């Protein structure tokens, strides 16, 4: 652990030197990368420095304990504090998902259940928007397709942090385990007999990629334009403003039609395409990795049915970690922090076990 911290401290000092150089800020993408890495290392350096200082303070208190019993009590308190710092340092040094410091792109799609599923997708959107607001994040709707009853057949939202968040506090780090199939059990507004129905919506969370993260050859893209459909103002159905981009090597297709400008729709589509390519690259890397490495990268399966929202019982359940609470109304109001903490704690525990077993 000591050698690992010394390496990180040297990197931290080098990053600090780079940040003081004016030329760094002429390249905004590189400046953001350096700033994010500097912020990620800061807790490690602070914790280690306090651990070292606490050790010195313990020695001083022990030397003075023979003259004043109060220093013996102080030495005991400092020893307990140093043990806490050692545990925190060990946690900070656990290998993390390399995308944890990124913003996120959140996609919600209606699934089984027709109009009811689309309405539930709308409820999930409101839940995530309220949670983002509680985290002081910015949100931006990139694309959406509304249903007849006011829900969403699909919607894509960018979630961005303001400033440089602490490790584990960025949008992707906190939202990544939201991905999967979310199931709802309730009486739909279209149900005249009062029967409880089960429907589902899918959630996909991608790390938002920057230009430096993914290199896209323009020759690998097929770009088609077409007329938008649905609500959106006078330009809808009158101009070829909607854009569909196909990445030929992977077959990934992204369509955008929310904006009135073809250029704006193309820019939004490229943002989502970069995110999907980054996620695909990470997925491929995980598949090629050993079982031990995969367990460090992804310990909660995000492809399975992950949640149940039971309205008659006001019950909210996450099936991966056995989390259950009877405060569904509060959860849908954006109070997601307890279940997000349960998921991230489970992931961290698995990563710690993987490190200790090596």
């Amino acid at each position: 652990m000591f050698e690992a911290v010394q390496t990180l401290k040297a990197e931290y000092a080098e990053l600090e030197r780079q940040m003081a150089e004016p030329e760094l800020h002429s390249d905004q993408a590189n400046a953001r990368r350096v700033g994010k890495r500097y912020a990620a290392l800061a807790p490690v350096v602070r914790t280690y420095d306090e651990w070292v200082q606490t050790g010195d303070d313990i020695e001083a208190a022990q030397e003075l304990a023979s003259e004043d019993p109060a220093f013996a009590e102080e030495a005991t308190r400092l020893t307990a504090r140093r043990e806490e710092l050692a545990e925190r340092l060990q946690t900070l040094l656990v290998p993390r998902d390399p995308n944890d410091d990124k913003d996120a792109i959140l996609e919600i799609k209606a699934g089984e259940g027709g109009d009811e599923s689309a309405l539930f997708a709308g409820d999930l959107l409101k839940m995530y928007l309220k949670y983002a607001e509680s985290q002081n994040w910015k949100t931006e709707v990139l694309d959406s397709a509304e249903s007849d009853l006011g829900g969403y057949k699909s919607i894509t939202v960018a979630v961005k942090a303001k400033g440089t968040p602490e490790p584990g506090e960025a949008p992707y780090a906190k939202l990544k385990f939201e991905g999967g199939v979310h199931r709802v059990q309730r009486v739909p507004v279209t149900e005249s007999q009062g029967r409880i129905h089960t429907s589902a919506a899918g959630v996909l969370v991608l790390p938002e990629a920057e230009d430096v993260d993914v290199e896209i050859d323009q020759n690998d893209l097929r770009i088609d334009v077409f007329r938008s459909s649905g609500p959106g103002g006078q330009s809808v159905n009158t101009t070829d403003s909607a854009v569909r981009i196909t990445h030929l090597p992977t077959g990934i297709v992204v369509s955008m039609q929310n904006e009135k400008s073809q250029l704006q729709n193309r820019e939004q589509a490229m943002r989502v395409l970069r995110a999907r390519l980054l996620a695909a690259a990470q997925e491929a890397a995980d598949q090629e990795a050993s079982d031990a490495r995969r367990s460090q990268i992804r310990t909660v399966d995000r492809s399975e049915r992950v949640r149940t929202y039971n309205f008659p019982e006001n019950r909210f359940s996450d099936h991966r970690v056995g989390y259950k609470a009877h405060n569904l109304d509060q959860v849908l109001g954006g109070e997601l922090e307890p279940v997000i903490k349960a998921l991230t704690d489970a992931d961290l525990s698995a990563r710690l076990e993987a490190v200790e077993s090596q």
Side-chain angles (χ1 to χ4, degrees):
M1 185 174 71
F2 178 80
E3 290 181 1
V5 173
Q6 294 306 311
T7 300
L8 293 176
K9 285 195 70 174
E11 182 184 356
Y12 183 78
E14 172 59 22
L15 292 170
E16 193 168 45
R17 184 193 65 76
Q18 290 181 31
M19 292 175 67
E21 295 179 350
E23 55 266 27
L24 173 70
H25 304 281
S26 62
D27 182 348
Q28 288 301 311
N30 190 39
R32 284 195 300 271
R33 181 189 63 78
V34 171
K36 284 184 177 181
R37 181 59 176 165
Y38 182 80
L41 293 180
V44 176
V45 173
R46 286 198 302 265
T47 302
Y48 176 75
D49 288 345
E50 186 181 350
W51 179 80
V52 172
Q53 182 60 52
T54 304
D56 294 339
D57 293 343
I58 290 171
E59 290 185 10
Q62 289 173 339
E63 290 177 4
L64 295 169
S66 58
E67 302 174 9
D68 186 345
F71 283 106
E73 296 179 5
E74 179 68 4
T76 300
R77 185 190 67 79
L78 289 170
T79 299
R81 173 60 180 163
R82 197 166 197 247
E83 290 174 357
E84 292 175 3
L85 291 167
E87 290 179 5
R88 173 168 167 73
L89 192 58
Q90 183 182 29
T91 299
L92 289 170
L93 291 173
V94 172
R96 293 182 177 271
D97 187 329
N99 295 317
D100 272 359
D101 63 346
K102 296 185 181 298
D103 294 321
I105 289 180
L106 182 71
E107 298 182 13
I108 306 172
K109 295 182 181 294
E112 305 168 8
D115 287 334
E116 164 63 5
S117 176
L119 289 171
F120 178 51
D123 292 336
L124 291 177
L125 172 66
K126 292 175 186 175
M127 178 182 76
Y128 290 125
L129 291 180
K130 289 178 179 178
Y131 178 69
E133 184 180 357
S134 74
Q135 299 296 306
N136 198 31
W137 294 337
K138 296 181 291 184
T139 56
E140 175 189 4
V141 175
L142 301 182
D143 193 53
S144 65
E146 296 183 14
S147 69
D148 295 336
L149 294 181
Y152 289 94
K153 296 176 183 177
S154 66
I155 185 162
T156 303
V157 181
V159 185
K160 300 182 72 68
K162 295 180 181 179
T164 303
E166 289 284 318
E169 297 296 317
Y172 182 71
K174 303 203 82 168
L175 292 175
K176 63 182 178 179
F177 294 124
E178 292 300 300
V181 178
H182 294 236
R183 180 177 64 176
V184 62
Q185 296 170 327
R186 65 184 176 186
V187 179
V189 294
T190 55
E191 169 58 53
S192 59
Q193 303 297 319
R195 292 172 298 187
I196 296 172
H197 287 225
T198 298
S199 58
V203 176
L204 177 64
V205 184
L206 304 170
E208 176 150 19
E210 299 179 14
D211 292 339
V212 294
D213 297 321
V214 177
E215 190 173 321
I216 299 177
D217 187 338
Q218 294 299 311
N219 294 323
D220 289 338
L221 302 180
R222 186 178 73 234
I223 301 176
D224 303 305
V225 295
F226 56 97
R227 291 189 178 181
S228 302
S229 60
Q234 295 180 349
S235 65
V236 172
N237 293 321
T238 61
T239 61
D240 292 335
S241 60
V243 174
R244 181 187 301 110
I245 300 179
T246 304
H247 186 251
L248 299 174
T250 62
I252 294 174
V253 180
V254 180
S255 298
M256 288 287 165
Q257 65 174 21
N258 260 35
E259 303 296 337
K260 296 180 181 180
S261 160
Q262 186 184 120
L263 178 60
Q264 288 176 309
N265 281 324
R266 176 170 174 162
E267 289 175 351
Q268 304 290 45
M270 287 298 294
R271 287 176 67 181
V272 176
L273 177 61
R274 279 194 295 269
R276 290 186 181 175
L277 287 173
L278 179 63
Q282 186 66 54
E283 192 76 28
D286 294 353
Q287 290 295 326
E288 293 173 3
S290 66
D291 290 342
R293 175 61 179 153
R294 276 202 301 273
S295 70
Q296 294 175 36
I297 295 173
R298 180 167 299 159
T299 58
V300 180
D301 186 354
R302 285 175 264 169
S303 64
E304 62 185 10
R305 183 165 294 176
V306 295
R307 294 265 175 80
T308 296
Y309 304 71
N310 186 298
F311 276 69
E313 299 178 11
N314 196 33
R315 174 169 51 82
F316 171 80
S317 307
D318 190 288
H319 308 299
R320 296 162 294 181
V321 290
Y323 181 93
K324 186 182 294 185
H326 290 273
N327 64 338
L328 180 56
D329 50 345
Q330 294 174 320
V331 169
L332 290 173
E335 295 186 20
L336 282 171
E337 196 60 30
V339 69
I340 286 177
K341 185 176 187 306
L343 288 161
T344 52
D345 284 351
D347 182 59
L348 177 60
S349 295
R351 291 172 187 268
L352 278 168
E353 289 178 9
V355 170
E356 291 169 355
S357 65
Q358 290 178 351

